[in-house]
């Protein structure tokens, strides 16, 4: 083997090793990103389940129902305050409440920013006092 063949062989070997290392590094980065997304998605789901369970509790009715409303509706400010105060939302999780345009209840949107280049992860849940049994029987019929 000539000196030129040895040099070319060494360069080709170094190039392929560098390319393999680059692919390995990219795969490791994607695994790390996927793990982070899984953890953030779990935080959103935990927040959703905690909100759902708290609204099923007896303590929720007296705190979140708008007593001035004749048709059993949430008090949105009390609902937001109660969820923020009582539920273990992670520091990355943000909440946004909005009234349903058809008057069916309130939408809870949970979101978490993943990265600047990616859209946030979101979970939306429609909450209704009647769905949680928070209304009196005569209020439900009306």
């Amino acid at each position: 083997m000539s000196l030129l063949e040895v040099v070319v062989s060494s360069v080709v070997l170094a190039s392929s090793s560098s390319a393999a290392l680059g692919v390995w590094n990219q795969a490791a980065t994607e695994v790390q990103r996927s793990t982070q997304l899984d953890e953030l998605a779990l935080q959103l789901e935990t927040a959703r389940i905690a909100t759902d369970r708290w609204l099923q509790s007896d303590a929720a009715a007296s705190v979140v129902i708008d007593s001035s409303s004749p048709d059993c509706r949430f008090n949105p400010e009390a609902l937001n305050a109660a969820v923020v105060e009582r539920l273990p939302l992670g520091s990355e999780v943000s909440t946004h409440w909005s009234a349903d345009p058809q008057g069916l209840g309130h939408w809870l949107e949970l979101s978490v920013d993943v990265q600047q280049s990616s859209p946030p992860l979101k979970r939306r849940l429609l909450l209704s006092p009647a769905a949680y049994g928070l209304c009196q029987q005569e209020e439900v019929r009306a």
Side-chain angles (χ1 to χ4, degrees), residues 25-114:
N25 190 26
Q26 183 179 3
T29 300
E30 288 302 314
V31 166
Q32 181 181 11
R33 184 176 182 276
S34 175
T35 301
Q36 179 191 23
L37 285 174
D38 286 347
E39 289 171 1
L40 294 173
L42 181 60
Q43 283 184 12
L44 288 179
E45 189 62 12
T46 301
R48 186 200 62 80
I49 290 170
T51 303
D52 188 56
R53 286 188 178 163
W54 181 75
L55 285 170
Q56 292 175 17
S57 73
D58 292 334
S62 63
V63 176
V64 297
I65 299 299
D66 184 355
S67 58
S68 66
S69 174
D71 54 356
C72 189
R73 295 189 184 265
F74 284 126
N75 175 330
E77 292 81 21
L79 185 61
N80 184 42
V83 168
V84 167
E85 179 183 319
R86 291 178 175 83
L87 298 178
L89 302 178
S91 60
E92 298 90 5
V93 177
S94 62
T95 61
H96 175 73
W97 292 93
S98 58
D100 181 72
Q102 298 173 340
L104 299 175
H106 280 77
W107 286 98
L108 168 60
E109 183 176 288
L110 301 162
S111 63
V112 63
D113 286 328
V114 180

